[in-house]
Amino acid sequence: MPIKKGSMVRAIREKLENSVEATASDTRFPPYIFDTNGEVMETRGDCALVKFGQVPTPNIWLRIDQLEDAK
């Protein structure tokens, strides 16, 4: 199933930890992006804006290939 607005997703730890984005910033990703479901709020190109609603946190842009369906 393609990831689109409204999809429920989780970050894929292996793809995110070894990414260019990880080397460009703090590599200590918060556990909730791997352990809780997030909702895709918007997509642009190969990126998605994800809102993790279980905790009060800012939305985060991630590449779509770093996300998986949260079924």
Side-chain angles (χ1 to χ4, degrees), residues 10-71:
R10 286 190 185 195
I12 302 170
R13 184 179 303 273
E14 296 78 25
K15 289 191 177 183
L16 190 55
E17 288 178 342
N18 298 317
S19 68
V20 172
E21 295 85 357
T23 60
S25 61
D26 190 351
T27 58
R28 297 172 294 167
F29 293 104
Y32 65 83
I33 69 172
F34 305 111
D35 300 335
T36 62
N37 296 342
E39 180 181 359
V40 174
M41 305 305 293
E42 182 179 345
T43 60
R44 287 190 190 163
D46 63 347
C47 294
L49 181 64
V50 182
K51 175 184 177 184
F52 291 93
Q54 300 295 341
V55 292
T57 59
N59 298 348
I60 183 172
W61 284 97
L62 295 169
R63 286 194 338 254
I64 291 175
D65 68 329
Q66 297 169 335
L67 300 170
E68 64 184 355
D69 191 31
K71 286 189 178 184

